[in-house]
Amino acid sequence: MRNWLQLRELCFGAGWLATHPAREKITQRYLKKRHLIHSALARLVQEETVEEADEQATDSNAASEQQLETPLSLHAQRLGAVLAVLKQHNVQRVLDLGCGEGRLLSKLLDDEQFEQIVGVDVSHRSLEIAARRLRLDTLPERQRARIQLLHGALTYRDKRLEGFAAAAIVEVIEHLDPPRLAAFERVVFEFARPRLVVITTPN
């Protein structure tokens, strides 16, 4: 500790050491113990580095644990369940009816199993948000060819929806009043007629 204090004083000695009456004695003491001071400083720097690394590792572990412990929202759980069903049935061409802002579409696009993905929504605004979420303008050509966004009402027959292996209808039917629900039922089951229909609702 004494050597550390001497070094500290010498670091700040520019204004007083040159004219100090005991400058030779101070300088000799400093030079005599200089190797000890350097050794002590090296140890201090090493300890600080180890402490910083330990703190960073602790922070990283805490963040990972917190992320793992954060419960999935019900909506995220529903999306995961829909994706699992589609994968289980080895679906390759899928409709997302009422795709909204593209959360399910994003998951479908990340999985190479799905060769043709079509999202349909009545809201232009939602489709714009979905396009940004999916980064359609910067997707590689092969990826971009797999996905299409369509504007359309789900209560009217639309030939663009025919011929798909599956349709996902995630949190859509609760927004339809009974007369429109009947029309939607015909669109899906009578006209589009996918082999598999996966429906979720929070109600």
Side-chain angles (χ1 to χ4, degrees):
M1 179 59 97
R2 184 178 174 188
N3 291 335
W4 170 253
L5 291 173
Q6 285 180 347
L7 178 60
R8 188 168 177 266
E9 289 174 1
L10 287 171
C11 288
F12 294 101
W16 58 269
L17 186 58
T19 58
H20 197 282
R23 71 176 180 268
E24 290 180 14
K25 191 174 183 181
I26 293 170
T27 305
Q28 285 173 356
R29 283 184 183 170
Y30 167 66
L31 293 174
K32 185 176 179 183
K33 304 292 184 182
R34 187 173 183 183
H35 71 281
L36 295 176
I37 292 169
H38 286 301
S39 175
L41 282 175
R43 285 179 61 190
L44 284 171
V45 169
Q46 185 179 12
E47 288 173 6
E48 287 178 359
T49 303
V50 170
E51 286 177 6
E52 287 177 4
D54 287 345
E55 287 177 5
Q56 289 175 356
T58 300
D59 291 345
S60 176
N61 288 340
S64 297
E65 288 176 8
Q66 184 176 4
Q67 188 174 14
L68 287 173
E69 291 174 3
T70 302
L72 288 174
S73 69
L74 288 175
H75 182 69
Q77 291 178 45
R78 289 187 194 102
L79 293 181
V82 170
L83 187 65
V85 170
L86 294 174
K87 287 181 67 63
Q88 178 186 354
H89 287 81
N90 200 30
V91 171
Q92 295 178 330
R93 301 179 68 236
V94 60
L95 292 167
D96 184 0
L97 300 177
C99 65
E101 297 176 359
R103 288 182 175 86
L104 178 60
L105 294 175
S106 179
K107 292 181 178 298
L108 295 170
L109 191 61
D110 286 342
D111 194 313
E112 292 294 328
Q113 172 181 317
F114 304 105
E115 297 175 359
Q116 185 179 5
I117 306 158
V118 173
V120 184
D121 205 278
V122 71
S123 166
H124 283 290
R125 175 68 179 150
S126 292
L127 292 173
E128 288 171 1
I129 294 171
R132 284 199 300 273
R133 179 189 297 276
L134 298 165
R135 298 183 176 89
L136 293 187
D137 54 344
T138 59
L139 279 179
E141 186 176 341
R142 183 173 168 275
Q143 283 282 80
R144 184 64 185 89
R146 292 173 54 215
I147 189 161
Q148 184 179 11
L149 298 180
L150 300 177
H151 177 256
L154 302 178
T155 51
Y156 295 95
R157 183 175 185 176
D158 188 337
K159 289 189 176 295
R160 298 175 298 176
L161 308 184
E162 297 175 10
F164 283 82
I169 305 165
V170 179
E171 299 180 17
V172 172
I173 61 172
E174 68 271 14
H175 299 290
L176 301 174
D177 56 35
R180 289 192 298 160
L181 190 58
F184 176 67
E185 181 182 1
R186 289 194 69 198
V187 166
V188 174
F189 296 104
E190 184 179 340
F191 302 129
R193 299 181 66 184
R195 288 189 293 106
L196 174 70
V197 177
V198 185
I199 300 175
T200 73
T201 174
N203 299 326

